[in-house]
């Protein structure tokens, strides 16, 4: 198993930036595809971004493409989500997710593809 702990959320004005971190412990971090999802009040959890085991392949939701960047540091067992040009509609609880079954050449974008989840971190963007 792997344990995931997110950090870096907070309150920011529209147009601002935040960097989320997700620290993993447990089994070999580099064996896991990592993803970020978010859930706004009254809405379903949605895909934000994902990164392959080596970091060589990434995927993004259309709503964040060009504004958010996912990266990972396998030596530090950490995945990051750099969020720029934030909008009020980015307000949500952001969750880190991991799965070791996803092949290295595929980016999975649905929540049920990921077995392990963090507790979430709140991001609030004011207008």
């Amino acid at each position: 198993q792997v344990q995931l702990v997110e950090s870096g959320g907070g309150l920011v004005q529209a147009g601002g930036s935040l960097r989320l971190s997700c620290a993993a412990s447990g089994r070999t971090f580099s064996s896991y595809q990592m993803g970020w999802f978010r859930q706004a009040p009254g809405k379903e959890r949605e895909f934000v971004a994902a990164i392959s085991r080596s970091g060589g392949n990434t995927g993004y939701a259309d709503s964040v493409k060009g504004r958010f960047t996912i990266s990972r540091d396998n030596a530090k067992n950490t995945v990051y989500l750099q969020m720029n040009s934030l909008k009020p509609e980015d307000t949500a609880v952001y969750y880190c997710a991991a799965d070791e079954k996803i092949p290295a050449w595929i980016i999975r974008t649905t929540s049920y593809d990921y077995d392990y989840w963090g507790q979430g971190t709140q991001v609030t963007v004011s207008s």
Side-chain angles (χ1 to χ4, degrees):
Q1 286 192 348
V2 63
Q3 292 78 43
L4 305 173
V5 179
E6 301 98 333
S7 61
L11 174 64
V12 64
Q13 288 188 334
S17 298
L18 282 175
R19 188 176 82 155
L20 305 183
S21 299
C22 173
S25 61
R27 295 176 61 184
T28 307
F29 179 69
S30 59
S31 300
Y32 292 84
Q33 180 168 134
M34 302 299 296
W36 286 98
F37 291 76
R38 67 186 182 187
Q39 188 167 18
K43 295 187 177 182
E44 293 189 353
R45 191 170 296 188
E46 65 174 2
F47 170 75
V48 175
I51 188 166
S52 61
R53 300 172 189 174
S54 67
N57 193 15
T58 58
Y60 297 92
D62 288 343
S63 59
V64 307
K65 205 170 292 184
R67 300 188 297 122
F68 291 9
T69 302
I70 189 171
S71 62
R72 67 189 296 162
D73 186 338
N74 286 346
K76 295 183 178 180
N77 287 4
T78 302
V79 63
Y80 305 97
L81 185 68
Q82 178 66 44
M83 306 186 295
N84 299 328
S85 302
L86 282 161
K87 304 175 181 180
E89 51 263 43
D90 294 319
T91 295
V93 177
Y94 283 71
Y95 297 91
C96 174
D99 196 89
E100 61 181 339
K101 304 184 303 298
I102 302 172
W105 58 90
I106 296 174
I107 292 295
R108 297 292 190 195
T109 62
T110 53
S111 59
Y112 49 77
D113 285 315
Y114 293 81
D115 284 343
Y116 303 103
W117 292 83
Q119 82 289 348
T121 185
Q122 176 71 47
V123 172
T124 303
V125 184
S126 63
S127 57

Short mmCIF file of all heavy atoms in Angstrom, two decimals, residues 18-43:
data_model
loop_
_atom_site.label_atom_id
_atom_site.label_comp_id
_atom_site.label_asym_id
_atom_site.label_seq_id
_atom_site.Cartn_x
_atom_site.Cartn_y
_atom_site.Cartn_z
N LEU A 18 -0.87 28.73 -6.83
CA LEU A 18 -0.63 27.85 -5.70
C LEU A 18 0.11 26.63 -6.20
O LEU A 18 -0.06 26.24 -7.36
CB LEU A 18 -1.94 27.39 -5.04
CG LEU A 18 -2.69 28.33 -4.11
CD1 LEU A 18 -4.02 27.70 -3.69
CD2 LEU A 18 -1.86 28.68 -2.89
N ARG A 19 0.89 26.01 -5.33
CA ARG A 19 1.51 24.74 -5.65
C ARG A 19 1.10 23.70 -4.61
O ARG A 19 1.38 23.87 -3.42
CB ARG A 19 3.04 24.82 -5.71
CG ARG A 19 3.64 23.53 -6.24
CD ARG A 19 5.14 23.59 -6.42
NE ARG A 19 5.85 23.34 -5.18
CZ ARG A 19 7.11 22.87 -5.12
NH1 ARG A 19 7.76 22.59 -6.24
NH2 ARG A 19 7.70 22.70 -3.96
N LEU A 20 0.43 22.69 -5.07
CA LEU A 20 0.04 21.58 -4.22
C LEU A 20 1.14 20.52 -4.23
O LEU A 20 1.77 20.29 -5.26
CB LEU A 20 -1.27 20.96 -4.67
CG LEU A 20 -2.47 21.90 -4.81
CD1 LEU A 20 -3.71 21.09 -5.19
CD2 LEU A 20 -2.70 22.69 -3.55
N SER A 21 1.30 19.87 -3.09
CA SER A 21 2.24 18.76 -2.97
C SER A 21 1.50 17.55 -2.44
O SER A 21 0.54 17.68 -1.69
CB SER A 21 3.39 19.11 -2.02
OG SER A 21 4.12 20.21 -2.49
N CYS A 22 1.98 16.40 -2.84
CA CYS A 22 1.42 15.14 -2.33
C CYS A 22 2.61 14.24 -1.99
O CYS A 22 3.34 13.80 -2.89
CB CYS A 22 0.52 14.49 -3.35
SG CYS A 22 -0.05 12.83 -2.91
N ALA A 23 2.79 14.00 -0.71
CA ALA A 23 3.88 13.16 -0.25
C ALA A 23 3.39 11.73 -0.07
O ALA A 23 2.34 11.50 0.54
CB ALA A 23 4.43 13.69 1.07
N ALA A 24 4.15 10.79 -0.59
CA ALA A 24 3.77 9.39 -0.53
C ALA A 24 4.71 8.61 0.35
O ALA A 24 5.91 8.86 0.37
CB ALA A 24 3.77 8.80 -1.94
N SER A 25 4.16 7.68 1.06
CA SER A 25 4.98 6.78 1.88
C SER A 25 4.48 5.36 1.66
O SER A 25 3.36 5.13 1.24
CB SER A 25 4.89 7.14 3.36
OG SER A 25 3.55 7.04 3.81
N GLY A 26 5.33 4.42 1.97
CA GLY A 26 4.95 3.04 1.75
C GLY A 26 5.81 2.40 0.69
O GLY A 26 7.03 2.52 0.72
N ARG A 27 5.19 1.76 -0.25
CA ARG A 27 5.92 1.04 -1.27
C ARG A 27 6.56 1.98 -2.28
O ARG A 27 6.37 3.17 -2.24
CB ARG A 27 5.00 0.02 -1.94
CG ARG A 27 4.55 -1.07 -0.99
CD ARG A 27 3.56 -2.00 -1.63
NE ARG A 27 4.15 -2.68 -2.80
CZ ARG A 27 3.48 -3.49 -3.58
NH1 ARG A 27 2.19 -3.71 -3.35
NH2 ARG A 27 4.05 -4.07 -4.61
N THR A 28 7.28 1.47 -3.21
CA THR A 28 8.09 2.23 -4.15
C THR A 28 7.25 3.24 -4.92
O THR A 28 6.38 2.86 -5.71
CB THR A 28 8.80 1.29 -5.12
OG1 THR A 28 9.52 0.32 -4.38
CG2 THR A 28 9.76 2.08 -6.00
N PHE A 29 7.53 4.51 -4.69
CA PHE A 29 6.75 5.59 -5.29
C PHE A 29 6.81 5.54 -6.80
O PHE A 29 5.81 5.80 -7.49
CB PHE A 29 7.29 6.92 -4.77
CG PHE A 29 6.60 8.13 -5.33
CD1 PHE A 29 5.29 8.41 -4.98
CD2 PHE A 29 7.26 8.99 -6.17
CE1 PHE A 29 4.65 9.53 -5.48
CE2 PHE A 29 6.64 10.12 -6.68
CZ PHE A 29 5.32 10.39 -6.33
N SER A 30 7.95 5.20 -7.36
CA SER A 30 8.11 5.22 -8.81
C SER A 30 7.32 4.12 -9.52
O SER A 30 7.27 4.09 -10.75
CB SER A 30 9.59 5.08 -9.17
OG SER A 30 10.11 3.87 -8.67
N SER A 31 6.68 3.25 -8.76
CA SER A 31 5.83 2.21 -9.34
C SER A 31 4.42 2.70 -9.62
O SER A 31 3.63 1.96 -10.22
CB SER A 31 5.75 1.00 -8.40
OG SER A 31 7.03 0.44 -8.17
N TYR A 32 4.10 3.92 -9.18
CA TYR A 32 2.72 4.39 -9.23
C TYR A 32 2.53 5.50 -10.26
O TYR A 32 3.29 6.45 -10.32
CB TYR A 32 2.30 4.94 -7.87
CG TYR A 32 2.19 3.89 -6.80
CD1 TYR A 32 3.31 3.47 -6.10
CD2 TYR A 32 0.97 3.31 -6.50
CE1 TYR A 32 3.22 2.49 -5.13
CE2 TYR A 32 0.86 2.33 -5.52
CZ TYR A 32 1.99 1.92 -4.85
OH TYR A 32 1.90 0.96 -3.89
N GLN A 33 1.45 5.37 -11.04
CA GLN A 33 0.98 6.54 -11.76
C GLN A 33 0.27 7.42 -10.73
O GLN A 33 -0.47 6.92 -9.88
CB GLN A 33 0.02 6.19 -12.88
CG GLN A 33 -0.48 7.42 -13.64
CD GLN A 33 -1.20 7.08 -14.94
OE1 GLN A 33 -2.26 7.60 -15.23
NE2 GLN A 33 -0.64 6.19 -15.73
N MET A 34 0.49 8.72 -10.83
CA MET A 34 -0.08 9.66 -9.88
C MET A 34 -1.06 10.58 -10.58
O MET A 34 -0.83 10.99 -11.72
CB MET A 34 1.01 10.48 -9.22
CG MET A 34 2.07 9.67 -8.49
SD MET A 34 1.39 8.70 -7.14
CE MET A 34 0.83 10.02 -6.06
N GLY A 35 -2.13 10.92 -9.87
CA GLY A 35 -3.12 11.81 -10.44
C GLY A 35 -3.61 12.83 -9.43
O GLY A 35 -3.49 12.64 -8.22
N TRP A 36 -4.14 13.91 -9.96
CA TRP A 36 -4.83 14.92 -9.15
C TRP A 36 -6.28 14.99 -9.64
O TRP A 36 -6.53 15.06 -10.86
CB TRP A 36 -4.19 16.29 -9.28
CG TRP A 36 -2.89 16.44 -8.57
CD1 TRP A 36 -1.63 16.33 -9.09
CD2 TRP A 36 -2.70 16.75 -7.17
NE1 TRP A 36 -0.69 16.54 -8.12
CE2 TRP A 36 -1.33 16.81 -6.93
CE3 TRP A 36 -3.59 16.99 -6.10
CZ2 TRP A 36 -0.79 17.09 -5.67
CZ3 TRP A 36 -3.07 17.26 -4.86
CH2 TRP A 36 -1.68 17.30 -4.64
N PHE A 37 -7.18 14.98 -8.69
CA PHE A 37 -8.61 15.14 -8.95
C PHE A 37 -9.12 16.26 -8.06
O PHE A 37 -8.46 16.64 -7.10
CB PHE A 37 -9.36 13.84 -8.67
CG PHE A 37 -9.06 12.73 -9.63
CD1 PHE A 37 -7.88 12.01 -9.56
CD2 PHE A 37 -9.98 12.38 -10.62
CE1 PHE A 37 -7.60 10.99 -10.46
CE2 PHE A 37 -9.72 11.36 -11.51
CZ PHE A 37 -8.52 10.67 -11.43
N ARG A 38 -10.31 16.76 -8.38
CA ARG A 38 -10.90 17.78 -7.52
C ARG A 38 -12.40 17.58 -7.45
O ARG A 38 -13.02 17.01 -8.36
CB ARG A 38 -10.56 19.18 -8.03
CG ARG A 38 -11.18 19.53 -9.37
CD ARG A 38 -10.65 20.89 -9.86
NE ARG A 38 -11.25 21.29 -11.13
CZ ARG A 38 -10.88 22.35 -11.82
NH1 ARG A 38 -9.89 23.14 -11.37
NH2 ARG A 38 -11.47 22.66 -12.96
N GLN A 39 -12.96 18.09 -6.35
CA GLN A 39 -14.40 17.99 -6.16
C GLN A 39 -14.92 19.28 -5.55
O GLN A 39 -14.51 19.65 -4.45
CB GLN A 39 -14.76 16.80 -5.28
CG GLN A 39 -16.25 16.54 -5.19
CD GLN A 39 -16.58 15.18 -4.59
OE1 GLN A 39 -15.73 14.55 -3.94
NE2 GLN A 39 -17.78 14.70 -4.83
N ALA A 40 -15.78 19.94 -6.28
CA ALA A 40 -16.41 21.16 -5.81
C ALA A 40 -17.73 20.79 -5.12
O ALA A 40 -18.30 19.73 -5.40
CB ALA A 40 -16.67 22.11 -6.97
N PRO A 41 -18.23 21.66 -4.24
CA PRO A 41 -19.49 21.36 -3.54
C PRO A 41 -20.62 21.08 -4.52
O PRO A 41 -20.84 21.83 -5.47
CB PRO A 41 -19.75 22.63 -2.74
CG PRO A 41 -18.40 23.22 -2.53
CD PRO A 41 -17.63 22.92 -3.79
N GLY A 42 -21.31 19.97 -4.30
CA GLY A 42 -22.46 19.62 -5.12
C GLY A 42 -22.11 19.04 -6.47
O GLY A 42 -23.00 18.79 -7.29
N LYS A 43 -20.82 18.82 -6.72
CA LYS A 43 -20.40 18.28 -8.01
C LYS A 43 -19.65 16.97 -7.82
O LYS A 43 -19.17 16.66 -6.74
CB LYS A 43 -19.51 19.29 -8.75
CG LYS A 43 -20.22 20.57 -9.14
CD LYS A 43 -19.34 21.43 -10.01
CE LYS A 43 -20.06 22.68 -10.48
NZ LYS A 43 -19.21 23.51 -11.36
#
